[in-house]
């Protein structure tokens, strides 16, 4: 199947209305994050990647608004008024459509480990046989006593695999010792013939728990002689879901291992994968080295031939080629090529660091642009500032940008030299090629090529007039 080609007359239904009470959280379970990405976004992105053009998210009355805020208008939404089981949720999902789908994909919002390859194989298997009613993505030899198990009819030929008879949910198996042995398990991902699904949802009996299980369709189909196939295409980890914080941690660990492995195969060196945390939406260029205790989060983009870490945190930022960020934090900022930062520096949001800049020890930058080839080597604060190219910022220099009521900007033009411990009292401009003496408190604009010193800083005579 071509993943970029939409499946016509199809729909993907994502079940996201469960209460998630075991999470013990005010945050709806589908909005908890794994590898920096909300759980609900994993099935949405996966179905889209596999060619499912129309997606319906089944929400609860309490989580509809928060789901909409995260996923946006890329999907349809429908509310399941009461938590009456997965079959009821799918019924509500179908009710949101103004057409009769030929193929219906169903996934849960809390199973982020399903791979695109497995889903494509499932769709291909389902569509390869005319009139196939139901195809279930399964994983074999899985030790998972809390998952539904596939029951098959014993075949006449011992070497054959019997047809599917039912899916038995964990809560309905009691204390059966076989429940704690490896088995073929249900991943919660299904392909249905759309018309058949619509006809049979109303025939599902209530389980002992009182809910309407979607999995009950397997037994109904088998009894009616309709073809149901359990397709064991999934790896064992794809069956892992999230019901509590421990499972969320376990899923996150698997995702992080996949992400790190992917980037290493793409030509990124990760010195210690166990202490490297890279979010799902991060991009990293070839020949970059990631050193231990580093976190790359959000929509971060790292260019080629960079050295990041150790002990660095970069969030929602762009880092150009051949940059070094050592033991520093970068937030929502843009760093051009050939920049060196750290150790122990902090770039706060809306900072732009142009090509060839050096920011050394304990430099904090906030909402500022630092011009190309400028340098701030030690212990500086540059907030709400526009620093031109080729500027040298001496140790201890700061922009005093806040007067207690408003923030003001500081401008330092090209080629200027800001002496150690200079305080620039904004709003103020230091002209091109100007110089401030050590310890100056600059309260007035400095003209181009001017020299100032003192508290407050005063304009000094040119050298040939002294």
């Amino acid at each position: 199947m071509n993943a970029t080609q939409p499946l016509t007359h199809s729909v993907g239904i994502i079940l996201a209305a469960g209460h998630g009470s075991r999470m013990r959280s005010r945050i709806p379970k589908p909005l908890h994050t794994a590898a920096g990405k909300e759980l609900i976004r994993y099935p949405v992105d996966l179905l889209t990647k596999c060619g499912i053009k129309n997606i319906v998210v089944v929400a609860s009355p309490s989580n509809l608004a928060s789901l909409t805020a995260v996923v946006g208008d890329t999907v349809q939404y429908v509310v399941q008024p009461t938590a009456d089981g997965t079959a009821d949720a799918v019924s509500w999902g179908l009710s949101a459509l103004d057409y009769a789908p030929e193929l219906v994909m169903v996934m849960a919002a809390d199973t982020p480990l399903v791979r695109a390859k497995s889903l494509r194989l499932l769709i291909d298997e389902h569509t390869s046989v005319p009139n196939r009613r139901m195809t279930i993505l399964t994983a074999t030899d899985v030790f998972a006593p809390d998952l539904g198990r596939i029951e098959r009819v014993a075949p006449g030929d011992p070497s054959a695999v019997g047809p599917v008879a039912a899916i038995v949910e964990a809560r309905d198996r009691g204390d059966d010792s076989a429940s704690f042995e490896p088995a073929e398990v249900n991943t919660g991902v299904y392909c249905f013939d759309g018309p058949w699904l619509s006809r049979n949802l109303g025939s599902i009996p209530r389980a002992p728990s009182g809910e309407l299980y979607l999995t009950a369709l397997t037994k109904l189909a088998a009894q009616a002689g309709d073809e149901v196939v359990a397709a064991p295409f999934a790896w064992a980890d794809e069956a892992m879901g999230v019901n509590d914080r421990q499972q969320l941690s376990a899923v996150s660990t698997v995702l992080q291992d996949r992400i790190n492995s992917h980037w290493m195969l793409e030509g990124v060196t990760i010195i210690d994968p166990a202490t490297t945390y890279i979010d799902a939406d991060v991009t990293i260029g070839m020949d970059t080295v990631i050193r231990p205790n580093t976190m790359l989060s959000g929509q971060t983009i790292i260019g080629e031939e960079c050295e990041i870490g150790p002990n660095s945190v970069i969030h929602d930022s762009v880092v150009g080629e051949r940059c070094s960020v050592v033991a520093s934090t970068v937030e929502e900022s843009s760093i051009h090529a050939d920049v060196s930062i750290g150790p122990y520096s902090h770039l706060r949001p809306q900072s732009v660091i142009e090509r060839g800049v050096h920011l050394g020890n304990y430099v904090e930058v906030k909402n500022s642009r630092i011009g190309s080839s400028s340098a701030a080597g030690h212990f500086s604060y540059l907030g709400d500032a526009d620093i031109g190219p080729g500027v040298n910022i001496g140790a201890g220099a700061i922009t005093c940008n806040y007067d207690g009521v408003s923030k003001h900007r500081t401008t330092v033009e090209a080629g200027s030299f800001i002496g150690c411990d200079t305080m620039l009292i904004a709003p103020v401009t230091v002209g091109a090629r100007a110089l401030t003496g050590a310890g100056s408190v600059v309260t007035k604009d400095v003209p181009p090529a001017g020299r100032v010193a003192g508290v407050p800083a005063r304009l000094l005579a040119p050298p040939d007039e002294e």
Side-chain angles (χ1 to χ4, degrees), residues 64-265:
L64 175 63
S66 53
L67 288 174
T68 304
V70 169
V71 181
D73 59 2
T74 59
V75 303
Q76 289 180 259
Y77 300 90
V78 65
V79 172
Q80 183 185 17
T82 58
D84 203 19
T86 51
D88 181 66
V90 171
S91 295
W92 281 102
L94 292 174
S95 73
L97 304 176
D98 57 4
Y99 65 98
E102 296 178 6
L103 182 144
V104 179
M105 293 290 309
V106 178
M107 296 186 66
D110 59 1
T111 53
L113 296 179
V114 179
R115 292 173 170 84
K117 180 180 179 180
S118 299
L119 191 62
R120 292 186 189 115
L121 287 171
L122 177 70
I123 295 170
D124 287 345
E125 171 63 31
H126 182 81
T127 56
S128 66
V129 178
N131 301 317
R132 172 74 54 78
R133 302 308 190 188
M134 178 179 181
T135 308
I136 310 156
L137 182 65
T138 66
T140 57
D141 296 323
V142 175
F143 179 79
D146 59 337
L147 295 177
R149 295 163 67 101
I150 304 299
E151 286 195 352
R152 294 179 181 269
V153 177
D157 180 357
S159 64
V161 177
V164 175
I167 298 176
V168 182
E169 298 290 358
R171 70 179 68 177
D172 296 334
R173 293 197 297 267
D175 296 326
D176 181 7
S177 60
S179 296
F180 297 89
E181 298 176 358
E184 183 180 13
V185 299
N186 175 27
T187 65
V189 182
Y190 314 92
C191 257
F192 292 101
D193 174 79
W196 180 87
L197 177 64
S198 298
R199 289 195 306 269
N200 285 276
L201 279 172
S203 302
I204 294 176
R206 289 194 178 274
S209 66
E211 295 185 6
L212 297 169
Y213 291 160
L214 187 64
T215 51
L217 285 172
T218 55
K219 188 173 184 178
L220 289 177
Q223 291 172 344
D226 291 319
E227 187 179 21
V228 174
V229 170
F233 298 138
W235 294 12
D237 60 18
E238 294 178 75
M240 295 172 62
V242 176
N243 291 305
D244 56 36
R245 307 279 183 149
Q246 289 178 313
Q247 291 178 343
L248 179 64
S249 176
V251 162
S252 297
T253 298
V254 174
L255 285 168
Q256 193 59 77
D257 182 65
R258 288 186 191 177
I259 291 167
N260 289 353
S261 296
H262 165 78
W263 287 117
M264 286 188 283
L265 292 173

Side-chain angles (χ1 to χ4, degrees), residues 7 14 39 84 99 109 151 228 307 324-325 327 335 361 401 443:
L7 290 164
I14 299 173
L39 295 177
D84 203 19
Y99 65 98
E151 286 195 352
V228 174
E307 293 206 13
S324 171
V325 181
I335 301 170
N361 308 293
N401 56 324
T443 60

Side-chain angles (χ1 to χ4, degrees), residues 8 26 42 49 52 66 83 137 278 281 324 394 396 398 440:
T8 57
R26 296 183 182 89
Y42 282 96
K49 187 176 183 179
I52 304 296
S66 53
L137 182 65
I278 302 171
D281 293 329
S324 171
I398 65 172
S440 298

Side-chain angles (χ1 to χ4, degrees), residues 35-38 41 45 279-284 296-302 314-319 332-333:
K37 185 173 175 178
E38 295 86 355
R41 289 175 53 208
D45 292 348
D279 278 359
D281 293 329
V282 169
T283 301
I284 309 173
L296 307 177
S297 62
Q299 306 284 329
T300 291
I301 299 173
I302 306 293
I314 303 179
H315 176 70
D316 275 344
S317 297
V318 177
V319 178
E332 300 174 29
S333 295

